[in-house]
Amino acid sequence: MKYYIIFGPPGAGKGTHAKRLVEDYNLKHISTGELLRAEIAAGTPLGLKAKELISAGQLVPDEVVEGMIETVFKTTKGVDGFLLDGFPRTMPQAVALDEILGKLSGEVTAVISLTVAEDVIYRRLAGRAKIEGRADDADPSIIANRIKTYHLQTEPLIDFYKKAGKYHEVDGYGGESSDGIKVVGDRIAALMKTL
Ligand code: AMP
């Protein structure tokens, strides 16, 4: 079983590129952000708590997302692997992931990290707010908080996965034209062939 992580700041294009990867490699896409938004939409107690944190640009507690990931690993059949999108986002989550995978006799296969300049991120998230209607994309102060959270809590994972020899960077900027997504997608596809 393969366990890939697609990594990068908010707006790097993780969800967009995950779609092509899961098709090409028969992977199950696990986006913790999407799972949390589904809880919010269903009005569950977890969703109510998550909504407050998400709309402040903060992270939900580690145990919540760790439990979600483990459940999906255990209940998914018929795939060759998983693509984690938006998880892990903190050092404790990365450590927990290794523990969870250890129990399944697996390990992280590779981290595909999308790098994008900060001004591009702000532009993309503002554009996405109009298309997807996400409240956490629409407010510049929430975006700023999410990026701060990324620098403080998520960026340290780069070193963690570099030390493990699993970290691979891809330039996540493909230009402003509509071909930009394909340009980056092709870079990721080329990397995947080397893994
Ligand atoms: P995303 O769709 O990945 O941008 O996630 C949206 C929001 O969900 C984030 O800003 C966090 O508040 C929350 N979230 C998603 N994934 C995680 C995670 N792994 N750990 C904690 N909070 C998360």
Side-chain angles (χ1 to χ4, degrees):
M1 211 42 108
K2 304 280 190 191
Y3 296 95
Y4 297 103
I5 296 169
I6 190 149
F7 185 88
K14 300 187 293 294
T16 301
H17 294 291
K19 289 192 184 84
R20 175 167 160 188
L21 277 172
V22 294
E23 277 181 26
D24 288 354
Y25 290 89
N26 186 32
L27 307 172
K28 167 81 178 167
H29 178 202
I30 313 181
S31 157
T32 40
E34 272 174 25
L35 292 173
L36 291 165
R37 284 189 286 281
E39 295 281 340
I40 294 172
T44 64
L46 168 61
L48 288 176
K49 256 192 249 158
K51 188 175 179 178
E52 262 178 55
L53 293 162
I54 291 176
S55 56
Q58 290 169 17
L59 299 181
V60 305
D62 291 330
E63 311 77 60
V64 171
V65 279
E66 288 160 14
M68 287 177 151
I69 291 277
E70 194 165 9
T71 304
V72 182
F73 285 156
K74 284 185 178 155
T75 54
T76 304
K77 303 267 181 290
V79 295
D80 295 323
F82 295 85
L83 180 62
L84 301 178
D85 162 5
F87 180 94
R89 247 179 166 102
T90 65
M91 274 308 295
Q93 288 178 24
V95 171
L97 176 62
D98 281 349
E99 275 170 26
I100 293 167
L101 293 182
K103 285 192 260 171
L104 300 170
S105 304
E107 60 172 306
V108 171
T109 307
V111 177
I112 302 148
S113 173
L114 298 175
T115 60
V116 190
E118 212 137 292
D119 60 316
V120 177
I121 290 175
Y122 274 92
R123 246 182 294 138
R124 280 191 190 165
L125 292 180
R128 189 168 77 180
K130 292 192 192 108
I131 298 164
E132 295 182 11
R134 276 178 58 175
D136 60 341
D137 285 341
D139 180 332
S141 72
I142 298 175
I143 293 177
N145 236 347
R146 287 163 67 202
I147 292 175
K148 196 170 128 204
T149 303
Y150 170 79
H151 287 311
L152 279 174
Q153 302 199 60
T154 310
E155 229 165 29
L157 301 191
I158 294 176
D159 234 32
F160 178 77
Y161 287 116
K162 269 187 185 166
K163 285 192 180 118
K166 298 187 172 177
Y167 182 81
H168 305 271
E169 226 162 64
V170 172
D171 178 358
Y173 183 64
E176 295 297 325
S177 83
S178 55
D179 284 346
I181 292 174
K182 187 178 177 324
V183 169
V184 178
D186 288 346
R187 284 180 197 145
I188 297 172
L191 165 69
M192 289 294 285
K193 289 203 180 100
T194 69
L195 296 178

